[in-house]
Amino acid sequence: MYKSIIIGTGPAGLTAAIYLARANLNPLVIEGQPGGQLTLTTEVENFPGFIDGIMGPDLMDNMRKQAERFGAKFIRGWVTETDLSKRPFMLTVDGVGRLETESLILSTGASANLLGGVPGEKDYIGRGVSTCATCDGFFFRNKEVLVVGGGDSAMEEANFLTKFASKVTVVHRRAELRASKIMQSKAQQNKKISWALRNEPTEVIAGDRGVTGLRVRNVDTGAEEIIKTDGIFIATGHTPNTSFLNGQIRTDHTGYIEVVPGTTETNIPGVFACGDVQDSRYRQAITAAGSGGMAAIDCEKFLESVH
């Protein structure tokens, strides 16, 4: 029986672990993908306290060691079943077995939707391929970049990138964009944005120093060409990692966990959510870490109230 279990080891989960461990609650942290999305990032320059930046994996490793220093315990595995119908909550972890806990913090994040089946796409994440303009746009100052996607997130990323890049080209396989009219209009009026519509990405082209181009196929003619670029931003949305909950936690229509405004409380007392799994708007390491601290404080107060 654990007082608290945290699922997820990104900035939110690890911050929650630090806070709970310092409160002598000896949390158990379940690692799926150690370090979360930040392990896919090279240099992080917008996390406070690191004047010269820090590598994403190093930042996560530091946070993990800090949590361990105060007594947090870690196990590796994927949660395959949950029973949140009564306390203690029951979890089944692949390769570990069944666990019981008085409280639960969900910090499983949201995975960027990749194109899928495009050679080089995964291989060059952090080396010219990115899923976050806010995180990586600064590295492409005065360079030419591509944004792949046709929804609101793609238009938002394209407009944001024009603050840094000399040219932004939007690649989309359809002639029509899925983005709202206002977002389309804003992008179309931006002189730094050009368009490569009716083109489907087929391969990321790269050299020793990273991405150099994107091979695309014209959906009308079948003709292929390589669009030269310094960076490729994939903006096809995110999917919150909540499927293992089997609908026991209330979510919005896109799958993000709903919390009581101003807290990390879910619809089930004793279950809390923090980080990107409940944040479809900001999705930043620092906001995730902040909500992790909130979840730990909410969790600690809950445990005090039931004992």
Side-chain angles (χ1 to χ4, degrees):
M1 168 70 72
Y2 292 91
K3 292 180 181 178
S4 185
I5 287 180
I6 300 166
I7 307 177
T9 50
L14 292 176
T15 302
I18 292 167
Y19 271 68
L20 288 180
R22 290 188 75 249
N24 294 321
L25 291 173
N26 304 312
L28 176 70
V29 186
I30 301 175
E31 292 183 293
Q33 176 184 315
Q37 294 291 306
L38 269 193
T39 58
L40 304 176
T41 303
T42 50
E43 194 166 11
V44 178
E45 291 192 324
N46 56 4
F47 200 92
F50 299 94
I51 299 170
D52 299 316
I54 184 171
M55 300 296 283
D58 292 339
L59 176 60
M60 293 297 90
D61 189 51
N62 288 349
M63 293 175 99
R64 188 187 198 279
K65 289 176 179 175
Q66 189 174 359
E68 286 180 312
R69 174 193 166 202
F70 293 115
K73 302 298 182 185
F74 289 77
I75 60 170
R76 182 76 60 85
W78 297 96
V79 177
T80 57
E81 291 182 43
T82 57
D83 183 356
L84 308 180
S85 61
K86 60 183 183 301
R87 293 179 47 245
F89 305 123
M90 301 290 294
L91 307 177
T92 301
V93 182
D94 185 34
V96 177
R98 291 167 66 86
L99 303 172
E100 295 184 7
T101 182
E102 295 183 46
S103 61
L104 180 65
I105 293 180
L106 303 169
S107 55
T108 48
S111 298
N113 298 332
L114 297 179
L115 302 174
V118 176
E121 175 187 34
K122 291 183 179 179
D123 299 333
Y124 290 96
I125 288 179
R127 297 176 58 199
V129 176
S130 173
T131 57
C132 179
T134 309
C135 310
D136 299 328
F138 179 83
F139 300 114
F140 294 88
R141 187 176 295 276
N142 299 320
K143 295 184 178 182
E144 296 187 2
V145 300
L146 305 179
V147 172
V148 181
D152 279 354
S153 59
M155 299 305 103
E156 188 174 349
E157 299 254 300
N159 274 300
F160 177 83
L161 287 167
T162 59
K163 296 179 180 180
F164 307 99
S166 59
K167 179 182 179 182
V168 178
T169 301
V170 175
V171 178
H172 186 50
R173 65 179 180 272
R174 297 187 178 92
E176 304 80 22
L177 300 170
R178 293 180 290 104
S180 58
K181 294 298 182 184
I182 189 169
M183 291 299 293
Q184 288 189 46
S185 177
K186 188 176 179 180
Q188 289 165 348
Q189 291 173 20
N190 192 319
K191 294 180 180 180
K192 277 192 172 184
I193 297 176
S194 60
W195 307 85
L197 304 180
R198 304 290 288 170
N199 281 290
E200 184 176 29
T202 59
E203 182 184 6
V204 173
I205 308 299
D208 294 338
R209 296 187 177 181
V211 167
T212 59
L214 178 68
R215 189 188 304 276
V216 299
R217 180 191 302 116
N218 186 285
V219 297
D220 295 318
T221 66
E224 291 194 346
E225 67 169 316
I226 295 176
I227 303 176
K228 292 183 179 180
T229 187
D230 298 301
I232 301 169
F233 288 81
I234 299 171
T236 52
H238 291 73
T239 299
N241 301 316
T242 55
S243 60
F244 70 99
L245 297 169
N246 293 318
Q248 296 176 87
I249 296 292
R250 185 178 298 132
T251 63
D252 66 14
H253 69 283
T254 58
Y256 286 89
I257 294 176
E258 292 185 342
V259 295
V260 176
T263 78
T264 61
E265 299 168 4
T266 70
N267 61 300
I268 297 180
V271 180
F272 307 90
C274 56
D276 290 8
V277 76
Q278 54 83 55
D279 174 21
S280 61
R281 180 172 182 176
Y282 298 104
R283 293 196 298 265
Q284 298 298 300
I286 191 63
T287 52
S291 69
M294 292 169 59
I297 293 170
D298 288 343
C299 183
E300 183 181 359
K301 289 181 178 179
F302 170 80
L303 291 171
E304 288 175 353
S305 71
V306 296
H307 285 289

